[in-house]
Amino acid sequence: MDSHQHDKNRVERARGRQMAILVIKLFFVALLPYALTAHLAVISPQDPVLHIGSSLTAVCTISTELEITARSLYWTLNGKRLARNTYKVLSPTESSVTLHQLNGSLQRSGDNLVCHRSNGEVLAGSCLYVGSPPEKPINLTCWSRNTKDLSCRWSPGSQGETFINTKYILKYKLKWYGKEKDCEDYTGQMYTCYVPRDLAIFTPYEVWVEASNQLGSAASDVITLDILDVVTTDPPPDVLVSRVGDLEDQLSVRWGSPPALKDYLFQAKYQIRYRVEESDEWKVIDDAGNQTSCRLASLRAGTVYFVQVRCNPIGIYGSKKAGIWSDWSHSTAASTPGIDRSHIGSCDSKPTEHNSTLRKELKQFFGWMRKHSYGCTDVSIKLYDQWRVWLQKAQKTHDQVLQSGKS
C-alpha cells in the first residue's frame, strides 16, 4: 500500500514538472514575436529630453527581415494616432514623424511615441520628456515641535510645474562647522521634509533646498535659524468652556499649558477663537496674553458656541524670536443660558423712566468698574452685563412681592 502511494506521488510530481515546463515554453513562444520585433525596429532619438515649445523629428528604422516597407507604418503619441501629414518615408526601411511646439509631458514617466505596423502591432517606442528646468525654490520656512525635530516647507517657484520628474532635496548643516546633510523623510505634504532627531540647540543651522531634473537645477536662498527661534508646540490641553452663573451672554474658558514644554523657560501667549453653532465664521481674541483663562462676553443668549485655543511659546531659553503658533485645539462646545422673557411687554414703567434709571445706576457703577479689570474682554461691557443680570433678578423679586401682596 505504501509503495503504491509512493509511486503515485512520484507520477504526480513528474506531471507537475512537465506542466511547468510547458507553461514556460508557451510564455516564451508568446513573447517571441515581440522580442524579435524589438531587435528588428528602433526609434531614434531614444527617450529625448526637450524644452516646452521644442520641435522633434523621430525616425523609425525597421529591418528588412520584417518583410514590410516603411510606407505601411503609422505613429501614435500616448495612444492617439498622429496625422498622416506629419509622416515622411525616408527610405523603404525608414519612416519619420515631425512634431512642432511640444507641450509639457502629460505623464511624469514621459509621453509614449510609438511606431506601428499596419495591423496595429507595436514595432518600437520612445519616451518623450518635455518640460522646463526647475525654478529657484522660494518661501522656505521651518519649525520645530517642542525643540525635538525640524520640519521645513517651500514653494517650487513662481511657475511651479516642470511637467517632468523634478527632485527636491532639503539640505542643512551647522553654520560654523559640521557636515552637510540631506533630509530624508518626504512622506508628508508635497514640498515638505521632516528631520526627526539629532538636532543641536543654541547653535544656528543653515538650511536650503536644491531642485533638479533632466533639464537643469536650481537652489533656494540659504536661511539661517536656531531651533529655539522656530519652536511650536502642541495645542493647549484640557480646554473647558462653562457658563458664568446666570449671565446669559458670557462664557468662561480655561485651558492647560503645553505639557511638552513644562521643563523649558518660556512665556506662552494664547489666542482664542469662537463661533456660533450654525456659522463657520470664527471671531478671534488676540489679547488673551499668558493667562490660562478668559471670559467671553457680549454673546447671544441661549446659543451654542464652539471654542478653540492655540499657543505661541515666546522666548524659550531667552530666544528673541516670537515663536510659532500651534495648531488650534479641538473644538469645545457650551451654550449660554436662555433669556427669561416672562416680563417682556410689562407696563410697570415707561421707557423713558427705565432709561433714566439705567443711566443713573450705570453712573454709580462706572467708578467701581475701573478698579476691577479681569479676563480678556472690555471691562465696562463685562461688568455692565453682570449689573444687567442683577437688575433682572431685582425686578423679578420686586414683581413677586407685588404679586403676593395682591393675592
Side-chain angles (χ1 to χ4, degrees):
M1 184 68 177
D2 292 341
S3 176
H4 176 73
Q5 184 65 38
H6 177 73
D7 292 341
K8 184 177 180 181
N9 292 340
R10 185 173 59 184
V11 170
E12 289 179 353
R13 287 196 296 271
R15 286 177 178 172
R17 286 194 295 270
Q18 290 175 350
M19 286 296 295
I21 293 171
L22 178 60
V23 169
I24 292 172
K25 285 182 177 179
L26 290 173
F27 178 73
F28 280 107
V29 167
L31 287 181
L32 186 59
Y34 299 100
L36 290 175
T37 299
H39 292 289
L40 296 176
V42 64
I43 290 179
S44 60
Q46 265 291 305
D47 305 338
V49 182
L50 305 163
H51 288 265
I52 292 175
S54 298
S55 297
L56 170 72
T57 296
V59 178
C60 180
T61 304
I62 57 176
S63 170
T64 55
E65 297 179 32
L66 290 176
E67 298 182 349
I68 59 175
T69 64
R71 190 173 299 277
S72 65
L73 307 182
Y74 71 91
W75 296 80
T76 62
L77 180 63
N78 291 331
K80 183 178 180 180
R81 192 161 180 162
L82 295 172
R84 176 64 65 176
N85 60 11
T86 61
Y87 309 169
K88 277 189 179 179
V89 177
L90 305 180
S91 72
T93 59
E94 292 179 316
S95 172
S96 72
V97 65
T98 299
L99 306 173
H100 297 287
Q101 293 293 313
L102 288 166
N103 295 320
S105 293
L106 299 178
Q107 307 170 131
R108 294 285 178 178
S109 57
D111 291 341
N112 300 313
L113 181 64
V114 178
C115 173
H116 297 262
R117 190 189 282 234
S118 60
N119 63 2
E121 180 184 339
V122 173
L123 294 175
S126 177
C127 285
L128 308 185
Y129 299 94
V130 185
S132 304
E135 293 187 357
K136 171 184 175 180
I138 58 175
N139 301 330
L140 174 60
T141 57
C142 301
W143 62 95
S144 173
R145 186 172 293 276
N146 303 317
T147 77
K148 305 301 183 184
D149 55 20
L150 186 69
S151 297
C152 295
R153 176 175 56 238
W154 61 91
S155 300
S158 58
Q159 179 182 339
E161 180 61 73
T162 61
F163 295 98
I164 58 177
N165 189 43
T166 299
K167 186 176 183 180
Y168 292 89
I169 300 177
L170 179 77
K171 294 180 174 287
Y172 63 99
K173 65 181 288 293
L174 291 169
K175 184 174 182 179
W176 296 302
Y177 58 90
K179 185 179 179 182
E180 177 184 303
K181 296 181 180 179
D182 291 351
C183 180
E184 297 179 353
D185 187 352
Y186 298 88
T187 56
Q189 297 179 350
M190 186 175 291
Y191 308 126
T192 62
C193 196
Y194 175 67
V195 182
R197 63 182 72 86
D198 300 329
L199 292 164
I201 58 176
F202 304 110
T203 305
Y205 279 91
E206 291 183 339
V207 185
W208 68 99
V209 177
E210 293 182 357
S212 62
N213 62 24
Q214 295 160 295
L215 290 172
S217 61
S220 72
D221 292 333
V222 177
I223 64 171
T224 300
L225 59 88
D226 190 311
I227 297 298
L228 296 179
D229 292 339
V230 293
V231 174
T232 186
T233 187
D234 303 310
D238 306 323
V239 178
L240 299 175
V241 184
S242 57
R243 294 180 177 182
V244 184
D246 293 329
L247 292 172
E248 76 275 4
D249 48 3
Q250 293 191 24
L251 290 172
S252 174
V253 186
R254 296 183 180 276
W255 59 89
S257 298
L261 297 178
K262 65 179 180 179
D263 297 326
Y264 290 76
L265 296 175
F266 73 101
Q267 184 107 22
K269 181 179 178 181
Y270 297 98
Q271 268 187 352
I272 300 166
R273 69 178 185 179
Y274 61 95
R275 64 177 176 85
V276 296
E277 183 178 22
E278 63 271 16
S279 173
D280 293 329
E281 183 177 348
W282 294 91
K283 182 175 181 179
V284 178
I285 295 176
D286 290 312
D287 59 350
N290 63 356
Q291 59 190 341
T292 56
S293 65
C294 180
R295 186 80 62 85
L296 305 179
S298 301
L299 306 179
R300 285 178 7 202
T303 303
V304 175
Y305 283 86
F306 290 96
V307 181
Q308 294 180 322
V309 185
R310 66 176 181 173
C311 175
N312 187 330
I314 299 173
I316 292 184
Y317 286 145
S319 168
K320 303 299 183 183
K321 298 295 179 67
I324 298 174
W325 287 106
S326 73
D327 293 333
W328 290 100
S329 66
H330 293 299
S331 292
T332 302
S335 63
T336 52
I339 296 177
D340 183 357
R341 301 181 179 273
S342 60
H343 301 285
I344 291 179
S346 172
C347 298
D348 290 344
S349 61
K350 295 180 181 180
T352 54
E353 294 175 353
H354 177 76
N355 291 340
S356 176
T357 303
L358 179 63
R359 286 194 296 269
K360 180 179 178 181
E361 295 291 340
L362 279 175
K363 186 175 180 180
Q364 294 173 354
F365 274 88
F366 272 137
W368 176 81
M369 286 194 298
R370 295 190 184 96
K371 301 178 183 179
H372 296 78
S373 177
Y374 65 97
C376 57
T377 57
D378 185 82
V379 63
S380 298
I381 295 175
K382 180 165 48 184
L383 294 182
Y384 166 74
D385 290 335
Q386 293 177 347
W387 167 81
R388 190 151 51 85
V389 169
W390 168 82
L391 187 65
Q392 290 172 350
K393 287 183 176 179
Q395 183 65 40
K396 182 184 293 187
T397 302
H398 176 70
D399 291 345
Q400 289 173 348
V401 171
L402 291 178
Q403 188 68 30
S404 61
K406 293 177 179 179
S407 59

